[in-house]
PDB file of all heavy atoms in Angstrom:
ATOM      1  N   TRP A  46     -47.447  25.206  16.652  1.00 98.00           N
ATOM      2  CA  TRP A  46     -46.248  25.550  15.898  1.00 98.00           C
ATOM      3  C   TRP A  46     -46.385  25.140  14.481  1.00 98.00           C
ATOM      4  O   TRP A  46     -46.107  25.916  13.503  1.00 98.00           O
ATOM      5  CB  TRP A  46     -45.017  24.761  16.439  1.00 98.00           C
ATOM      6  CG  TRP A  46     -43.838  24.844  15.581  1.00 98.00           C
ATOM      7  CD1 TRP A  46     -42.995  25.810  15.343  1.00 98.00           C
ATOM      8  CD2 TRP A  46     -43.392  23.767  14.647  1.00 98.00           C
ATOM      9  NE1 TRP A  46     -42.065  25.456  14.349  1.00 98.00           N
ATOM     10  CE2 TRP A  46     -42.322  24.185  13.935  1.00 98.00           C
ATOM     11  CE3 TRP A  46     -43.901  22.417  14.339  1.00 98.00           C
ATOM     12  CZ2 TRP A  46     -41.709  23.433  13.004  1.00 98.00           C
ATOM     13  CZ3 TRP A  46     -43.346  21.651  13.426  1.00 98.00           C
ATOM     14  CH2 TRP A  46     -42.172  22.112  12.699  1.00 98.00           C
ATOM     15  N   HIS A  47     -46.953  23.886  14.216  1.00 98.00           N
ATOM     16  CA  HIS A  47     -47.052  23.427  12.828  1.00 98.00           C
ATOM     17  C   HIS A  47     -48.086  24.322  12.055  1.00 98.00           C
ATOM     18  O   HIS A  47     -47.848  24.633  10.879  1.00 98.00           O
ATOM     19  CB  HIS A  47     -47.530  21.972  12.915  1.00 98.00           C
ATOM     20  CG  HIS A  47     -47.121  21.155  11.765  1.00 98.00           C
ATOM     21  ND1 HIS A  47     -47.235  19.833  11.687  1.00 98.00           N
ATOM     22  CD2 HIS A  47     -46.490  21.483  10.558  1.00 98.00           C
ATOM     23  CE1 HIS A  47     -46.737  19.380  10.570  1.00 98.00           C
ATOM     24  NE2 HIS A  47     -46.239  20.358   9.838  1.00 98.00           N
ATOM     25  N   LEU A  48     -49.172  24.697  12.742  1.00 98.00           N
ATOM     26  CA  LEU A  48     -50.100  25.613  11.999  1.00 98.00           C
ATOM     27  C   LEU A  48     -49.452  26.982  11.653  1.00 98.00           C
ATOM     28  O   LEU A  48     -49.713  27.556  10.568  1.00 98.00           O
ATOM     29  CB  LEU A  48     -51.358  25.847  12.855  1.00 98.00           C
ATOM     30  CG  LEU A  48     -52.217  24.573  13.074  1.00 98.00           C
ATOM     31  CD1 LEU A  48     -53.522  25.056  13.820  1.00 98.00           C
ATOM     32  CD2 LEU A  48     -52.643  23.945  11.818  1.00 98.00           C
ATOM     33  N   ALA A  49     -48.661  27.427  12.537  1.00 98.00           N
ATOM     34  CA  ALA A  49     -47.978  28.755  12.334  1.00 98.00           C
ATOM     35  C   ALA A  49     -47.027  28.626  11.106  1.00 98.00           C
ATOM     36  O   ALA A  49     -46.982  29.486  10.230  1.00 98.00           O
ATOM     37  CB  ALA A  49     -47.212  29.266  13.533  1.00 98.00           C
ATOM     38  N   MET A  50     -46.355  27.503  11.023  1.00 98.00           N
ATOM     39  CA  MET A  50     -45.580  27.190   9.888  1.00 98.00           C
ATOM     40  C   MET A  50     -46.325  27.089   8.574  1.00 98.00           C
ATOM     41  O   MET A  50     -45.907  27.574   7.486  1.00 98.00           O
ATOM     42  CB  MET A  50     -44.696  26.021  10.074  1.00 98.00           C
ATOM     43  CG  MET A  50     -43.493  26.113  11.042  1.00 98.00           C
ATOM     44  SD  MET A  50     -42.240  27.331  10.514  1.00 98.00           S
ATOM     45  CE  MET A  50     -41.929  26.806   8.818  1.00 98.00           C
ATOM     46  N   MET A  51     -47.513  26.497   8.681  1.00 98.00           N
ATOM     47  CA  MET A  51     -48.379  26.365   7.532  1.00 98.00           C
ATOM     48  C   MET A  51     -48.781  27.728   7.034  1.00 98.00           C
ATOM     49  O   MET A  51     -48.868  28.012   5.868  1.00 98.00           O
ATOM     50  CB  MET A  51     -49.655  25.573   7.838  1.00 98.00           C
ATOM     51  CG  MET A  51     -49.449  24.065   7.998  1.00 98.00           C
ATOM     52  SD  MET A  51     -50.930  23.222   8.459  1.00 98.00           S
ATOM     53  CE  MET A  51     -51.691  22.849   6.862  1.00 98.00           C
ATOM     54  N   ALA A  52     -49.121  28.647   7.983  1.00 98.00           N
ATOM     55  CA  ALA A  52     -49.593  29.980   7.663  1.00 98.00           C
ATOM     56  C   ALA A  52     -48.431  30.660   6.896  1.00 98.00           C
ATOM     57  O   ALA A  52     -48.725  31.313   5.850  1.00 98.00           O
ATOM     58  CB  ALA A  52     -49.942  30.817   8.893  1.00 98.00           C
ATOM     59  N   MET A  53     -47.208  30.492   7.314  1.00 98.00           N
ATOM     60  CA  MET A  53     -46.051  31.147   6.635  1.00 98.00           C
ATOM     61  C   MET A  53     -45.844  30.647   5.255  1.00 98.00           C
ATOM     62  O   MET A  53     -45.499  31.356   4.322  1.00 98.00           O
ATOM     63  CB  MET A  53     -44.796  30.978   7.445  1.00 98.00           C
ATOM     64  CG  MET A  53     -44.674  31.932   8.656  1.00 98.00           C
ATOM     65  SD  MET A  53     -43.215  31.520   9.675  1.00 98.00           S
ATOM     66  CE  MET A  53     -41.867  31.770   8.508  1.00 98.00           C
ATOM     67  N   THR A  54     -46.027  29.318   5.042  1.00 98.00           N
ATOM     68  CA  THR A  54     -45.708  28.682   3.773  1.00 98.00           C
ATOM     69  C   THR A  54     -46.941  28.644   2.803  1.00 98.00           C
ATOM     70  O   THR A  54     -46.701  28.430   1.567  1.00 98.00           O
ATOM     71  CB  THR A  54     -45.067  27.314   3.957  1.00 98.00           C
ATOM     72  OG1 THR A  54     -45.972  26.545   4.786  1.00 98.00           O
ATOM     73  CG2 THR A  54     -43.733  27.379   4.581  1.00 98.00           C
ATOM     74  N   LEU A  55     -48.077  28.690   3.281  1.00 98.00           N
ATOM     75  CA  LEU A  55     -49.328  28.585   2.479  1.00 98.00           C
ATOM     76  C   LEU A  55     -49.980  29.954   2.255  1.00 98.00           C
ATOM     77  O   LEU A  55     -51.089  29.999   1.726  1.00 98.00           O
ATOM     78  CB  LEU A  55     -50.292  27.577   3.066  1.00 98.00           C
ATOM     79  CG  LEU A  55     -49.855  26.101   3.167  1.00 98.00           C
ATOM     80  CD1 LEU A  55     -50.827  25.238   3.860  1.00 98.00           C
ATOM     81  CD2 LEU A  55     -49.577  25.521   1.747  1.00 98.00           C
ATOM     82  N   ALA A  56     -49.279  31.012   2.746  1.00 98.00           N
ATOM     83  CA  ALA A  56     -49.860  32.370   2.667  1.00 98.00           C
ATOM     84  C   ALA A  56     -50.426  32.836   1.304  1.00 98.00           C
ATOM     85  O   ALA A  56     -51.440  33.453   1.203  1.00 98.00           O
ATOM     86  CB  ALA A  56     -48.711  33.363   3.029  1.00 98.00           C
ATOM     87  N   GLU A  57     -49.794  32.262   0.201  1.00 97.00           N
ATOM     88  CA  GLU A  57     -50.313  32.696  -1.081  1.00 97.00           C
ATOM     89  C   GLU A  57     -51.659  32.175  -1.481  1.00 97.00           C
ATOM     90  O   GLU A  57     -52.289  32.586  -2.382  1.00 97.00           O
ATOM     91  CB  GLU A  57     -49.229  32.251  -2.177  1.00 97.00           C
ATOM     92  CG  GLU A  57     -49.157  30.773  -2.369  1.00 97.00           C
ATOM     93  CD  GLU A  57     -47.852  30.323  -3.078  1.00 97.00           C
ATOM     94  OE1 GLU A  57     -46.766  30.769  -2.629  1.00 97.00           O
ATOM     95  OE2 GLU A  57     -47.985  29.498  -4.028  1.00 97.00           O
ATOM     96  N   HIS A  58     -52.162  31.123  -0.676  1.00 98.00           N
ATOM     97  CA  HIS A  58     -53.491  30.619  -0.892  1.00 98.00           C
ATOM     98  C   HIS A  58     -54.530  31.321  -0.077  1.00 98.00           C
ATOM     99  O   HIS A  58     -55.734  30.932  -0.133  1.00 98.00           O
ATOM    100  CB  HIS A  58     -53.489  29.123  -0.626  1.00 98.00           C
ATOM    101  CG  HIS A  58     -52.342  28.424  -1.375  1.00 98.00           C
ATOM    102  ND1 HIS A  58     -52.320  28.350  -2.672  1.00 98.00           N
ATOM    103  CD2 HIS A  58     -51.289  27.809  -0.859  1.00 98.00           C
ATOM    104  CE1 HIS A  58     -51.209  27.676  -3.071  1.00 98.00           C
ATOM    105  NE2 HIS A  58     -50.583  27.378  -1.992  1.00 98.00           N
ATOM    106  N   ALA A  59     -54.119  32.292   0.731  1.00 98.00           N
ATOM    107  CA  ALA A  59     -55.109  33.172   1.420  1.00 98.00           C
ATOM    108  C   ALA A  59     -55.565  34.319   0.462  1.00 98.00           C
ATOM    109  O   ALA A  59     -54.872  34.616  -0.479  1.00 98.00           O
ATOM    110  CB  ALA A  59     -54.423  33.809   2.603  1.00 98.00           C
ATOM    111  N   PRO A  60     -56.725  34.855   0.774  1.00 96.00           N
ATOM    112  CA  PRO A  60     -57.211  36.026  -0.043  1.00 96.00           C
ATOM    113  C   PRO A  60     -56.152  37.154  -0.051  1.00 96.00           C
ATOM    114  O   PRO A  60     -55.405  37.306   0.957  1.00 96.00           O
ATOM    115  CB  PRO A  60     -58.489  36.545   0.686  1.00 96.00           C
ATOM    116  CG  PRO A  60     -58.940  35.382   1.533  1.00 96.00           C
ATOM    117  CD  PRO A  60     -57.658  34.593   1.916  1.00 96.00           C
ATOM    118  N   PRO A  61     -56.029  37.924  -1.162  1.00 94.00           N
ATOM    119  CA  PRO A  61     -55.091  39.008  -1.157  1.00 94.00           C
ATOM    120  C   PRO A  61     -55.238  39.932  -0.052  1.00 94.00           C
ATOM    121  O   PRO A  61     -56.422  40.039   0.424  1.00 94.00           O
ATOM    122  CB  PRO A  61     -55.434  39.751  -2.516  1.00 94.00           C
ATOM    123  CG  PRO A  61     -56.251  38.825  -3.369  1.00 94.00           C
ATOM    124  CD  PRO A  61     -56.844  37.803  -2.407  1.00 94.00           C
ATOM    125  N   GLU A  62     -54.222  40.610   0.457  1.00 95.00           N
ATOM    126  CA  GLU A  62     -54.289  41.590   1.504  1.00 95.00           C
ATOM    127  C   GLU A  62     -54.417  40.934   2.915  1.00 95.00           C
ATOM    128  O   GLU A  62     -54.520  41.616   3.853  1.00 95.00           O
ATOM    129  CB  GLU A  62     -55.418  42.592   1.370  1.00 95.00           C
ATOM    130  CG  GLU A  62     -55.702  43.158  -0.087  1.00 95.00           C
ATOM    131  CD  GLU A  62     -54.554  44.109  -0.462  1.00 95.00           C
ATOM    132  OE1 GLU A  62     -54.117  44.857   0.418  1.00 95.00           O
ATOM    133  OE2 GLU A  62     -54.164  44.075  -1.694  1.00 95.00           O
ATOM    134  N   THR A  63     -54.442  39.598   2.939  1.00 98.00           N
ATOM    135  CA  THR A  63     -54.512  38.935   4.260  1.00 98.00           C
ATOM    136  C   THR A  63     -53.170  39.228   4.996  1.00 98.00           C
ATOM    137  O   THR A  63     -52.139  39.134   4.465  1.00 98.00           O
ATOM    138  CB  THR A  63     -54.674  37.431   4.140  1.00 98.00           C
ATOM    139  OG1 THR A  63     -55.841  37.167   3.380  1.00 98.00           O
ATOM    140  CG2 THR A  63     -54.798  36.742   5.473  1.00 98.00           C
ATOM    141  N   ASP A  64     -53.306  39.651   6.284  1.00 98.00           N
ATOM    142  CA  ASP A  64     -52.130  40.009   7.106  1.00 98.00           C
ATOM    143  C   ASP A  64     -51.606  38.707   7.736  1.00 98.00           C
ATOM    144  O   ASP A  64     -52.135  38.235   8.800  1.00 98.00           O
ATOM    145  CB  ASP A  64     -52.575  40.988   8.203  1.00 98.00           C
ATOM    146  CG  ASP A  64     -51.420  41.352   9.132  1.00 98.00           C
ATOM    147  OD1 ASP A  64     -50.319  40.695   9.127  1.00 98.00           O
ATOM    148  OD2 ASP A  64     -51.645  42.300   9.952  1.00 98.00           O
ATOM    149  N   ILE A  65     -50.635  38.143   7.123  1.00 98.00           N
ATOM    150  CA  ILE A  65     -50.148  36.839   7.565  1.00 98.00           C
ATOM    151  C   ILE A  65     -49.491  36.816   8.913  1.00 98.00           C
ATOM    152  O   ILE A  65     -49.623  35.818   9.735  1.00 98.00           O
ATOM    153  CB  ILE A  65     -49.227  36.140   6.488  1.00 98.00           C
ATOM    154  CG1 ILE A  65     -50.044  35.792   5.222  1.00 98.00           C
ATOM    155  CG2 ILE A  65     -48.603  34.870   7.012  1.00 98.00           C
ATOM    156  CD1 ILE A  65     -51.140  34.805   5.436  1.00 98.00           C
ATOM    157  N   SER A  66     -48.854  37.895   9.292  1.00 97.00           N
ATOM    158  CA  SER A  66     -48.275  37.859  10.661  1.00 97.00           C
ATOM    159  C   SER A  66     -49.311  37.859  11.759  1.00 97.00           C
ATOM    160  O   SER A  66     -49.162  37.331  12.789  1.00 97.00           O
ATOM    161  CB  SER A  66     -47.263  39.042  10.870  1.00 97.00           C
ATOM    162  OG  SER A  66     -47.930  40.249  10.865  1.00 97.00           O
ATOM    163  N   ARG A  67     -50.541  38.431  11.384  1.00 98.00           N
ATOM    164  CA  ARG A  67     -51.646  38.353  12.371  1.00 98.00           C
ATOM    165  C   ARG A  67     -52.153  36.929  12.396  1.00 98.00           C
ATOM    166  O   ARG A  67     -52.590  36.342  13.391  1.00 98.00           O
ATOM    167  CB  ARG A  67     -52.812  39.323  12.096  1.00 98.00           C
ATOM    168  CG  ARG A  67     -53.478  39.615  13.453  1.00 98.00           C
ATOM    169  CD  ARG A  67     -54.242  40.904  13.416  1.00 98.00           C
ATOM    170  NE  ARG A  67     -55.577  40.734  12.925  1.00 98.00           N
ATOM    171  CZ  ARG A  67     -56.136  41.398  11.859  1.00 98.00           C
ATOM    172  NH1 ARG A  67     -55.340  42.205  11.200  1.00 98.00           N
ATOM    173  NH2 ARG A  67     -57.309  41.116  11.409  1.00 98.00           N
ATOM    174  N   VAL A  68     -52.242  36.232  11.246  1.00 98.00           N
ATOM    175  CA  VAL A  68     -52.677  34.816  11.187  1.00 98.00           C
ATOM    176  C   VAL A  68     -51.739  33.955  12.046  1.00 98.00           C
ATOM    177  O   VAL A  68     -52.231  33.163  12.816  1.00 98.00           O
ATOM    178  CB  VAL A  68     -52.670  34.326   9.755  1.00 98.00           C
ATOM    179  CG1 VAL A  68     -53.063  32.859   9.685  1.00 98.00           C
ATOM    180  CG2 VAL A  68     -53.665  35.156   8.864  1.00 98.00           C
ATOM    181  N   VAL A  69     -50.373  34.216  11.886  1.00 98.00           N
ATOM    182  CA  VAL A  69     -49.397  33.463  12.681  1.00 98.00           C
ATOM    183  C   VAL A  69     -49.689  33.686  14.155  1.00 98.00           C
ATOM    184  O   VAL A  69     -49.808  32.697  14.917  1.00 98.00           O
ATOM    185  CB  VAL A  69     -47.957  33.860  12.275  1.00 98.00           C
ATOM    186  CG1 VAL A  69     -46.920  33.309  13.257  1.00 98.00           C
ATOM    187  CG2 VAL A  69     -47.635  33.353  10.841  1.00 98.00           C
ATOM    188  N   ALA A  70     -49.850  34.923  14.524  1.00 98.00           N
ATOM    189  CA  ALA A  70     -50.026  35.279  15.941  1.00 98.00           C
ATOM    190  C   ALA A  70     -51.299  34.567  16.523  1.00 98.00           C
ATOM    191  O   ALA A  70     -51.327  33.961  17.676  1.00 98.00           O
ATOM    192  CB  ALA A  70     -50.065  36.756  16.181  1.00 98.00           C
ATOM    193  N   MET A  71     -52.324  34.575  15.736  1.00 98.00           N
ATOM    194  CA  MET A  71     -53.613  34.081  16.128  1.00 98.00           C
ATOM    195  C   MET A  71     -53.466  32.459  16.319  1.00 98.00           C
ATOM    196  O   MET A  71     -54.022  31.935  17.255  1.00 98.00           O
ATOM    197  CB  MET A  71     -54.592  34.256  14.972  1.00 98.00           C
ATOM    198  CG  MET A  71     -56.022  34.616  15.347  1.00 98.00           C
ATOM    199  SD  MET A  71     -57.031  34.878  13.863  1.00 98.00           S
ATOM    200  CE  MET A  71     -56.592  36.597  13.452  1.00 98.00           C
ATOM    201  N   LEU A  72     -52.770  31.859  15.392  1.00 98.00           N
ATOM    202  CA  LEU A  72     -52.562  30.382  15.464  1.00 98.00           C
ATOM    203  C   LEU A  72     -51.720  30.046  16.672  1.00 98.00           C
ATOM    204  O   LEU A  72     -51.886  29.028  17.367  1.00 98.00           O
ATOM    205  CB  LEU A  72     -52.017  29.836  14.163  1.00 98.00           C
ATOM    206  CG  LEU A  72     -52.984  29.807  13.047  1.00 98.00           C
ATOM    207  CD1 LEU A  72     -52.269  29.575  11.706  1.00 98.00           C
ATOM    208  CD2 LEU A  72     -54.090  28.769  13.182  1.00 98.00           C
ATOM    209  N   LEU A  73     -50.725  30.912  17.027  1.00 98.00           N
ATOM    210  CA  LEU A  73     -49.926  30.617  18.134  1.00 98.00           C
ATOM    211  C   LEU A  73     -50.705  30.657  19.481  1.00 98.00           C
ATOM    212  O   LEU A  73     -50.440  29.881  20.385  1.00 98.00           O
ATOM    213  CB  LEU A  73     -48.709  31.627  18.295  1.00 98.00           C
ATOM    214  CG  LEU A  73     -47.685  31.486  17.160  1.00 98.00           C
ATOM    215  CD1 LEU A  73     -46.691  32.575  17.229  1.00 98.00           C
ATOM    216  CD2 LEU A  73     -46.978  30.134  17.233  1.00 98.00           C
ATOM    217  N   VAL A  74     -51.705  31.516  19.537  1.00 98.00           N
ATOM    218  CA  VAL A  74     -52.574  31.596  20.760  1.00 98.00           C
ATOM    219  C   VAL A  74     -53.874  30.822  20.761  1.00 98.00           C
ATOM    220  O   VAL A  74     -54.440  30.673  21.796  1.00 98.00           O
ATOM    221  CB  VAL A  74     -52.891  33.058  21.095  1.00 98.00           C
ATOM    222  CG1 VAL A  74     -51.604  33.935  21.190  1.00 98.00           C
ATOM    223  CG2 VAL A  74     -53.885  33.734  20.258  1.00 98.00           C
ATOM    224  N   HIS A  75     -54.269  30.293  19.588  1.00 98.00           N
ATOM    225  CA  HIS A  75     -55.622  29.864  19.450  1.00 98.00           C
ATOM    226  C   HIS A  75     -55.976  28.670  20.377  1.00 98.00           C
ATOM    227  O   HIS A  75     -57.182  28.570  20.648  1.00 98.00           O
ATOM    228  CB  HIS A  75     -55.899  29.406  17.957  1.00 98.00           C
ATOM    229  CG  HIS A  75     -55.551  28.011  17.565  1.00 98.00           C
ATOM    230  ND1 HIS A  75     -54.255  27.543  17.511  1.00 98.00           N
ATOM    231  CD2 HIS A  75     -56.289  26.899  17.323  1.00 98.00           C
ATOM    232  CE1 HIS A  75     -54.203  26.343  17.140  1.00 98.00           C
ATOM    233  NE2 HIS A  75     -55.407  25.874  17.011  1.00 98.00           N
ATOM    234  N   ASP A  76     -55.077  27.848  20.850  1.00 97.00           N
ATOM    235  CA  ASP A  76     -55.414  26.764  21.705  1.00 97.00           C
ATOM    236  C   ASP A  76     -55.033  26.967  23.183  1.00 97.00           C
ATOM    237  O   ASP A  76     -55.252  26.097  23.982  1.00 97.00           O
ATOM    238  CB  ASP A  76     -54.806  25.439  21.165  1.00 97.00           C
ATOM    239  CG  ASP A  76     -55.578  24.705  20.169  1.00 97.00           C
ATOM    240  OD1 ASP A  76     -56.828  25.011  20.142  1.00 97.00           O
ATOM    241  OD2 ASP A  76     -55.108  23.830  19.461  1.00 97.00           O
ATOM    242  N   ILE A  77     -54.494  28.081  23.552  1.00 98.00           N
ATOM    243  CA  ILE A  77     -54.012  28.370  24.918  1.00 98.00           C
ATOM    244  C   ILE A  77     -55.094  28.062  25.898  1.00 98.00           C
ATOM    245  O   ILE A  77     -54.841  27.538  27.001  1.00 98.00           O
ATOM    246  CB  ILE A  77     -53.336  29.708  25.019  1.00 98.00           C
ATOM    247  CG1 ILE A  77     -51.956  29.688  24.305  1.00 98.00           C
ATOM    248  CG2 ILE A  77     -53.232  30.100  26.502  1.00 98.00           C
ATOM    249  CD1 ILE A  77     -51.214  31.016  24.343  1.00 98.00           C
ATOM    250  N   VAL A  78     -56.348  28.438  25.532  1.00 97.00           N
ATOM    251  CA  VAL A  78     -57.461  28.213  26.535  1.00 97.00           C
ATOM    252  C   VAL A  78     -57.565  26.746  26.911  1.00 97.00           C
ATOM    253  O   VAL A  78     -58.200  26.430  27.996  1.00 97.00           O
ATOM    254  CB  VAL A  78     -58.852  28.728  25.965  1.00 97.00           C
ATOM    255  CG1 VAL A  78     -58.746  30.296  25.823  1.00 97.00           C
ATOM    256  CG2 VAL A  78     -59.173  28.055  24.697  1.00 97.00           C
ATOM    257  N   GLU A  79     -57.054  25.900  26.092  1.00 96.00           N
ATOM    258  CA  GLU A  79     -57.190  24.389  26.390  1.00 96.00           C
ATOM    259  C   GLU A  79     -56.368  24.008  27.546  1.00 96.00           C
ATOM    260  O   GLU A  79     -56.542  22.812  28.071  1.00 96.00           O
ATOM    261  CB  GLU A  79     -56.956  23.596  25.114  1.00 96.00           C
ATOM    262  CG  GLU A  79     -58.010  23.946  24.120  1.00 96.00           C
ATOM    263  CD  GLU A  79     -57.988  23.031  22.855  1.00 96.00           C
ATOM    264  OE1 GLU A  79     -57.108  22.181  22.757  1.00 96.00           O
ATOM    265  OE2 GLU A  79     -58.833  23.233  21.902  1.00 96.00           O
ATOM    266  N   VAL A  80     -55.426  24.858  28.032  1.00 96.00           N
ATOM    267  CA  VAL A  80     -54.734  24.524  29.242  1.00 96.00           C
ATOM    268  C   VAL A  80     -55.747  24.237  30.363  1.00 96.00           C
ATOM    269  O   VAL A  80     -55.592  23.341  31.181  1.00 96.00           O
ATOM    270  CB  VAL A  80     -53.760  25.719  29.672  1.00 96.00           C
ATOM    271  CG1 VAL A  80     -53.398  25.684  31.151  1.00 96.00           C
ATOM    272  CG2 VAL A  80     -52.567  25.734  28.758  1.00 96.00           C
ATOM    273  N   ASP A  81     -56.812  25.050  30.427  1.00 95.00           N
ATOM    274  CA  ASP A  81     -57.878  24.809  31.423  1.00 95.00           C
ATOM    275  C   ASP A  81     -59.009  23.994  30.874  1.00 95.00           C
ATOM    276  O   ASP A  81     -59.526  23.179  31.617  1.00 95.00           O
ATOM    277  CB  ASP A  81     -58.511  26.134  31.891  1.00 95.00           C
ATOM    278  CG  ASP A  81     -57.622  26.939  32.814  1.00 95.00           C
ATOM    279  OD1 ASP A  81     -56.598  26.407  33.231  1.00 95.00           O
ATOM    280  OD2 ASP A  81     -57.943  28.118  33.086  1.00 95.00           O
TER     281      ASP A  81
END
Side-chain angles (χ1 to χ4, degrees):
Chain A
W46 166 79
H47 210 170
L48 293 187
M50 284 300 309
M51 286 177 89
M53 282 173 62
T54 50
L55 297 173
E57 68 198 50
H58 309 294
E62 316 290 319
T63 303
D64 176 351
I65 291 297
S66 68
R67 205 160 88 242
V68 176
V69 167
M71 218 180 280
L72 288 167
L73 291 172
V74 307
H75 86 291
D76 269 345
I77 285 178
V78 295
E79 297 189 358
V80 162
D81 286 351

